[in-house]
Amino acid sequence: MNLIVDVGNSFIKLAVFKGDMFLEVLQTEEKNILKNFSNIFKKYPMIRHIMISSVGKLSEEHIKAMAVFAPVSMLTSDSKVPFRNQYATPKTLGVDRIALIAAAYYKYSAQNCLVIDAGSCITYDFLSEDGVYKGGAISPGVHMRYKAMNAYTAKLPLVSSLDFEDFIGDSTQSCMISGVVNGTVNEIQGVILQYIDRFKDLTVILTGGDSHFLSKRLKSSIFAHPNFLLEGVNYILELNKH
């Protein structure tokens, strides 16, 4: 059994796998990670391998504490991956994006795949049908857009709501929500259409914290996978065992 630790910008996820079978995921903050970690091992004492995928902060003390339970490996740009990487600067490619492409490779073999991860940032990553990672794009996520408007203006408030169905705002707050929500949806829709125009039989995967909210508003045919990144890290862990 494997334990996957996904350290994001906001939360940490602990996911248990038996082979490629997803069993459970638990979301925590770093201050509570060791307590939750211990509880996971009490429930699943057969865990033998741990892999950490980190784009956020996780202290060395916590990593050392994890190693008491089972051997720990870190997902890095040097980890063995199943796809061919044509990224011009592979050392700068985020491990979250590496994991997402690995998941696409295994779950949608021999297909042109666009993986969209809607989290703190929105990342777009393209894997060709012959298993080559070409690259993609990065843009601000929904909540980052709200924070930017508040931080770089004198009077716009800090908004966090996603609850807005129309596109015409009738107050400053609803105008901001309209701009962010509809702007994000139209951006994603436009990017999907760009890829469809160039690549036939495109498979679109949407994941990340805002994926459920956004999937209901997108017109394109997409597959929503909330645990896609975790599955990708687990595939890479299995590959690197051999």
Side-chain angles (χ1 to χ4, degrees), residues 149-164:
M149 285 194 286
N150 172 250
Y152 292 105
T153 65
K155 295 184 178 181
L156 290 180
L158 180 59
V159 177
S160 61
S161 175
L162 300 176
D163 185 20
F164 190 68

Side-chain angles (χ1 to χ4, degrees), residues 40-76:
I40 285 282
F41 269 85
K42 286 178 183 177
K43 187 173 182 180
Y44 300 100
M46 295 304 293
I47 292 172
R48 293 292 180 265
H49 300 275
I50 303 168
M51 179 168 266
I52 300 173
S53 168
S54 178
V55 296
K57 295 180 180 179
L58 185 64
S59 71
E60 285 295 325
E61 289 76 13
H62 283 155
I63 295 173
K64 289 177 181 178
M66 290 178 185
V68 172
F69 293 87
V72 175
S73 57
M74 300 291 296
L75 176 56
T76 72

Side-chain angles (χ1 to χ4, degrees), residues 4-15 26-31 33 37 50-59 62-63 66 72-75 94-97 99 117 120 229-230 233:
I4 303 304
V5 182
D6 171 30
V7 183
N9 291 304
S10 301
F11 295 100
I12 298 171
K13 291 182 180 179
L14 308 175
L26 186 153
Q27 183 171 286
T28 182
E29 296 178 337
E30 186 178 8
K31 64 182 180 180
I33 190 170
F37 205 80
I50 303 168
M51 179 168 266
I52 300 173
S53 168
S54 178
V55 296
K57 295 180 180 179
L58 185 64
S59 71
H62 283 155
I63 295 173
M66 290 178 185
V72 175
S73 57
M74 300 291 296
L75 176 56
V95 292
D96 51 343
R97 300 172 73 189
D117 184 8
S120 298
L229 187 151
L230 298 169
V233 180

Side-chain angles (χ1 to χ4, degrees), residues 8 16 40 43 48 54 57 59 73 84 94 104 115 122 128 168 176 185 193 197 240:
V16 180
I40 285 282
K43 187 173 182 180
R48 293 292 180 265
S54 178
K57 295 180 180 179
S59 71
S73 57
R84 285 187 289 140
V115 184
I122 301 172
S128 67
I168 303 175
M176 292 173 69
V185 168
L193 291 175
D197 189 52
N240 281 266

Side-chain angles (χ1 to χ4, degrees), residues 45-232:
M46 295 304 293
I47 292 172
R48 293 292 180 265
H49 300 275
I50 303 168
M51 179 168 266
I52 300 173
S53 168
S54 178
V55 296
K57 295 180 180 179
L58 185 64
S59 71
E60 285 295 325
E61 289 76 13
H62 283 155
I63 295 173
K64 289 177 181 178
M66 290 178 185
V68 172
F69 293 87
V72 175
S73 57
M74 300 291 296
L75 176 56
T76 72
S77 59
D78 294 322
S79 299
K80 186 190 300 183
V81 294
F83 56 88
R84 285 187 289 140
N85 191 349
Q86 287 189 348
Y87 206 59
T89 55
K91 294 292 185 182
T92 71
L93 182 61
V95 292
D96 51 343
R97 300 172 73 189
I98 292 172
L100 292 170
I101 291 302
Y105 180 91
Y106 283 110
K107 294 185 78 72
Y108 298 97
S109 178
Q111 298 180 45
N112 288 318
C113 292
L114 176 64
V115 184
I116 304 170
D117 184 8
S120 298
C121 287
I122 301 172
T123 58
Y124 303 85
D125 290 292
F126 179 72
L127 181 73
S128 67
E129 60 188 356
D130 55 349
V132 179
Y133 174 60
K134 301 288 190 179
I138 306 172
S139 71
V142 168
H143 296 288
M144 190 179 292
R145 298 177 195 215
Y146 282 135
K147 289 177 182 177
M149 285 194 286
N150 172 250
Y152 292 105
T153 65
K155 295 184 178 181
L156 290 180
L158 180 59
V159 177
S160 61
S161 175
L162 300 176
D163 185 20
F164 190 68
E165 298 298 329
D166 201 359
F167 63 92
I168 303 175
D170 60 1
S171 68
T172 297
Q173 179 164 312
S174 62
C175 285
M176 292 173 69
I177 297 171
S178 175
V180 168
V181 172
N182 287 297
T184 302
V185 168
N186 283 307
E187 174 197 304
I188 294 173
Q189 192 69 50
V191 171
I192 292 172
L193 291 175
Q194 282 182 313
Y195 278 87
I196 289 174
D197 189 52
R198 183 175 296 186
F199 301 100
K200 64 178 182 178
D201 302 323
L202 183 71
T203 297
V204 181
I205 302 106
L206 182 64
T207 189
D210 291 327
S211 59
H212 178 69
F213 159 75
L214 291 170
S215 64
K216 296 183 292 184
R217 288 163 171 78
L218 291 168
K219 297 177 183 178
S220 298
S221 177
I222 61 172
F223 295 96
H225 286 288
N227 297 312
F228 206 59
L229 187 151
L230 298 169
E231 292 176 3

